[in-house]
Amino acid sequence: MENRLFSSREFMLNIGKLIAVLTSMEYLYSMKEIGSTYRGIHIDSDPYFPQQSKSTKNSSRLKGKSSQRAKAVIGYAISLTGCEETSYIDGAAVLKQSIHQNSIHNPKSTSKYSYKLYAIVHPSAVLCAQALHDLLGFEVLVRDTPFDMNDIRGEFYKSRVNQSGCCGEREFIKLYAYTLVEHPIVVHLDMDVLILNPMDELFDAMLDPRSDKHRRSVPSMHNQTLPSNIQAYFTRDYNMAYPGKEHVGAQGGFLIFKPNATVLNEYVDIVLEGKFCPGSGWGCEGWGNFWGAPQIQGIVPYYYDKFYPNTAVELDRCFYNNMADPPRQLTNKQDHTVGKCMDGRDECQDCRTTDIHKVKTVHFTICQKPWRCVDYGHICTHMHRAWFTYRNQLEQDHTTTVLVTPNNGTFMPDTFLGYCWKQDNQGYIPMKFPSTNNTLL
């Protein structure tokens, strides 16, 4: 077939071609097998080129580090619950670039860790999952919701679980990341997250719990004393709850944990019991009354706070999963914060003023997705510029995977680096990928 170009938007519009490629469901299910153990792997190949091994290109990319051993290979997972968002492939591509650049595979990075990428895909999203595998090298795991809705015993919860949050009961496919036991640590991220700096301090503290040095380097929220054996990290979404609420939900787009298949089963048991009350949420004890409480945002803190206290760490949300959220309940027209701190304290951090060079990961929620070409100032400007810098870097470094797109857009070029024509998603210039012989490669 004659070569042609696919933009991420064209990909979704040409779904018919994708169906032709997916000649049977067996193809997708054949991608579900998880690889062998990666802890202590010798760095002899580059995850950016999953089909290659020990190529000249890989060797040059790993110059200076090719003889080193990774301390461990971290499993990075994303989830795809539907095909509604047409720019998801751009988000996944740039997220991958940021993971790569902050790993041992980048000679300029200080990281000691390698990575492997997974995409957990709901059956309703299989038609748009192939691009994640073929174009970006994600291992695709097709997984249905880990429980049957009809088996939920709590009638109120049964009526609520598919009517709230981002995607109803489908969001629970994120929990399959706990089954990636080939890795000592798994990081589950939304596709609108970006890694700015290595997170080795988190991994080190998990893998070497006896080291006070590693533990002291982890910035926890409210200077929390770290557990002796850290099982999970997450941040809380204080802006989704009223100020001072005792049990605040987790932010579901950023989760780090030690995988354990038993944990998935325990989550499912909680769901099937369905003890979720109006207003008071999980256990009828206060883990509710905030956005996403019936799903991941509520069940994760309920699981660790209630059943396994002192095993998870709430990270400082200004450095991890920074969303540029306002710290207080009210904000005046001059954008100076007033009113109660959302975390219930007298004094609170303003994550919008955090030095971007010290931030580890950012999440495009309040700041809006980069492909929507909207900028709200503050740290959002730096976050968007970082995303588009990674995109430009990706296009320049990996021309066999992603083609160079002319970045001649005129809307806020200092922030969007020429990839936006105007303010909204119609003004975004999507990434383009080569296509050959009925594949998206």
Side-chain angles (χ1 to χ4, degrees):
M1 175 180 286
E2 181 182 357
N3 289 359
R4 58 163 303 206
L5 303 182
F6 276 82
S7 72
S8 55
R9 192 171 294 147
E10 286 178 305
F11 168 74
M12 294 303 300
L13 295 176
N14 284 278
I15 200 71
K17 178 180 178 180
L18 195 58
I19 295 173
V21 176
L22 300 175
T23 55
S24 73
M25 288 295 292
E26 293 179 1
Y27 172 77
L28 281 175
Y29 279 89
S30 71
M31 296 189 285
K32 71 181 180 180
E33 295 301 323
I34 302 172
S36 57
T37 301
Y38 288 90
R39 187 175 177 85
I41 190 172
H42 191 277
I43 302 301
D44 60 3
S45 63
D46 189 331
Y48 242 110
F49 304 96
Q51 305 301 326
Q52 304 174 18
S53 63
K54 295 189 176 182
S55 67
T56 303
K57 191 168 188 177
N58 292 344
S59 299
S60 64
R61 246 185 115 68
L62 297 174
K63 185 178 181 181
K65 286 197 174 186
S66 59
S67 62
Q68 293 186 23
R69 296 176 68 88
K71 187 171 182 179
V73 171
I74 307 301
Y76 282 87
I78 60 175
S79 295
L80 189 63
T81 58
C83 297
E84 296 83 6
E85 174 59 74
T86 60
S87 296
Y88 79 94
I89 191 68
D90 290 26
V94 177
L95 171 59
K96 176 180 178 176
Q97 174 73 1
S98 73
I99 292 170
H100 184 87
Q101 290 299 101
N102 290 286
S103 75
I104 194 172
H105 297 278
N106 176 11
K108 296 180 180 179
S109 171
T110 60
S111 179
K112 306 179 295 295
Y113 291 90
S114 184
Y115 67 91
K116 184 175 180 182
L117 303 172
Y118 298 88
I120 304 170
V121 178
H122 191 271
S124 64
V126 294
L127 294 180
C128 51
Q130 189 191 2
L132 294 172
H133 175 266
D134 289 353
L135 295 176
L136 303 179
F138 282 81
E139 184 167 328
V140 174
L141 311 175
V142 179
R143 298 290 186 269
D144 205 344
T145 304
F147 53 86
D148 188 325
M149 291 275 293
N150 294 322
D151 293 335
I152 296 175
R153 297 186 291 277
E155 291 301 322
F156 175 75
Y157 181 66
K158 183 187 296 187
S159 69
R160 292 281 296 172
V161 65
N162 65 346
Q163 298 180 6
S164 61
C166 73
C167 31
E169 78 283 359
R170 291 175 296 169
E171 188 181 13
F172 283 101
I173 66 171
K174 290 181 178 180
L175 298 179
Y176 285 111
Y178 280 95
T179 67
L180 300 176
V181 295
E182 288 77 8
H183 301 277
I185 298 171
V186 171
V187 181
H188 190 288
L189 302 172
D190 282 355
M191 282 182 273
D192 58 349
V193 170
L194 192 71
I195 298 178
L196 301 182
N197 287 292
M199 296 188 287
D200 284 29
E201 67 284 350
L202 303 185
F203 307 148
D204 289 343
M206 266 187 160
L207 297 180
D208 191 3
R210 294 171 295 181
S211 173
D212 290 336
K213 176 184 177 182
H214 293 330
R215 291 157 55 80
R216 286 195 299 268
S217 65
V218 175
S220 60
M221 198 69 181
H222 306 139
N223 296 315
Q224 171 192 353
T225 300
L226 269 61
S228 58
N229 187 5
I230 302 169
Q231 294 297 311
Y233 297 108
F234 56 83
T235 61
R236 296 189 193 265
D237 199 343
Y238 289 95
N239 276 262
M240 291 297 177
Y242 59 82
K245 179 174 170 53
E246 181 180 4
H247 300 302
V248 177
Q251 211 294 319
F254 176 90
L255 302 170
I256 301 176
F257 44 80
K258 291 180 178 178
N260 185 335
T262 300
V263 176
L264 169 62
N265 294 331
E266 292 177 341
Y267 274 121
V268 170
D269 288 342
I270 294 171
V271 169
L272 293 180
E273 181 185 20
K275 191 176 181 181
F276 187 96
C277 296
S280 57
W282 289 106
C284 305
E285 297 181 57
W287 282 274
N289 200 25
F290 49 80
W291 190 87
Q295 291 88 20
I296 295 297
Q297 288 83 351
I299 199 171
V300 167
Y302 177 58
Y303 177 83
Y304 287 108
D305 295 348
K306 172 70 174 178
F307 299 103
Y308 295 96
N310 203 33
T311 62
V313 176
E314 179 189 356
L315 295 172
D316 189 323
R317 73 185 194 283
C318 290
F319 299 107
Y320 303 93
N321 204 34
N322 189 317
M323 300 188 297
D325 51 312
R328 295 181 183 268
Q329 186 177 27
L330 301 175
T331 303
N332 68 17
K333 293 181 180 180
Q334 285 74 42
D335 206 30
H336 297 292
T337 54
V338 296
K340 296 180 179 180
C341 288
M342 297 303 296
D343 62 8
R345 306 207 169 207
D346 293 333
E347 299 297 329
C348 40
Q349 299 169 280
D350 189 342
C351 297
R352 299 173 299 177
T353 63
T354 306
D355 183 351
I356 192 66
H357 299 97
K358 297 180 180 180
V359 176
K360 299 289 184 168
T361 73
V362 297
H363 193 174
F364 294 95
T365 56
I366 293 173
C367 291
Q368 299 300 306
K369 310 294 185 277
W371 46 89
R372 293 181 182 169
C373 298
V374 177
D375 184 66
Y376 291 147
H378 288 297
I379 199 173
C380 293
T381 299
H382 299 292
M383 290 164 59
H384 282 121
R385 186 182 298 124
W387 192 91
F388 283 99
T389 297
Y390 274 125
R391 171 182 164 167
N392 180 266
Q393 189 180 73
L394 171 61
E395 292 185 356
Q396 298 297 327
D397 291 351
H398 301 284
T399 54
T400 60
T401 303
V402 182
L403 299 180
V404 177
T405 306
N407 52 333
N408 53 2
T410 56
F411 180 67
M412 299 184 67
D414 290 340
T415 299
F416 301 118
L417 305 188
Y419 293 109
C420 291
W421 284 105
K422 62 179 180 177
Q423 178 175 303
D424 63 41
N425 57 346
Q426 296 302 314
Y428 174 69
I429 300 174
M431 299 174 70
K432 291 184 179 293
F433 306 92
S435 173
T436 305
N437 296 330
N438 275 336
T439 73
L440 294 176
L441 288 174

